[in-house]
Amino acid sequence: EVQLVESGGGLVQAGGSLRLSCVVSGFTFYDGAVGWFRQAPGKEREGVSCFSGRDGSTYYSDSVKGRFRISTDISENTVYLQMNSLKAEDTAVYYCAVDPPRAVVADYLCHYGMDHLGRGTLVTVSP
């Protein structure tokens, strides 16, 4: 069974930084896909950043491009999301996601979702 546990959320002032972590069990990172999604109050869930292990592509939504960075530590079975220059509109519950190897690009993964999602961690950015 695939399990994902996110951590690192909290309250931060606008302009600050946070690093989210996601420890994954029951999943082999090699060639697989990883990603981060978020859902703000009253809005639909959106793909923030995704990485396709099959073709090596990385996707960032326009709203976070240049400020957020996705990375993995395979030895620790952990996915990270480094978030810099945070804005009030980044306030949301952030979810980590993984998928078995698929012949799709990262853009597709972030737009159409992944099979396994964590429970989420809340990020609140004060103006």
Side-chain angles (χ1 to χ4, degrees), residues 13 22 31 44-45 50 61 73 82 84 88:
Q13 287 189 329
C22 173
D31 241 17
E44 292 187 357
R45 187 179 300 160
C50 295
S61 66
D73 184 336
Q82 178 66 43
N84 300 323

Side-chain angles (χ1 to χ4, degrees), residues 46-112:
E46 63 168 337
V48 174
S49 178
C50 295
F51 172 76
S52 173
R54 181 59 64 88
D55 77 341
S57 60
T58 304
Y59 167 85
Y60 293 96
S61 66
D62 287 343
S63 59
V64 308
K65 200 172 295 182
R67 300 188 297 122
F68 289 13
R69 190 173 75 89
I70 189 172
S71 63
T72 59
D73 184 336
I74 295 176
S75 66
E76 297 290 332
N77 271 20
T78 302
V79 186
Y80 298 101
L81 185 68
Q82 178 66 43
M83 307 186 295
N84 300 323
S85 303
L86 283 161
K87 306 175 181 179
E89 50 264 43
D90 293 319
T91 294
V93 177
Y94 284 73
Y95 301 88
C96 174
V98 297
D99 234 16
R102 298 168 65 187
V104 295
V105 296
D107 181 300
Y108 180 96
L109 294 165
C110 260
H111 281 91
Y112 293 100

Side-chain angles (χ1 to χ4, degrees), residues 24-43:
V24 186
S25 59
F27 178 78
T28 302
F29 274 75
Y30 179 74
D31 241 17
V34 298
W36 287 92
F37 294 75
R38 70 183 181 186
Q39 187 165 18
K43 294 189 176 181

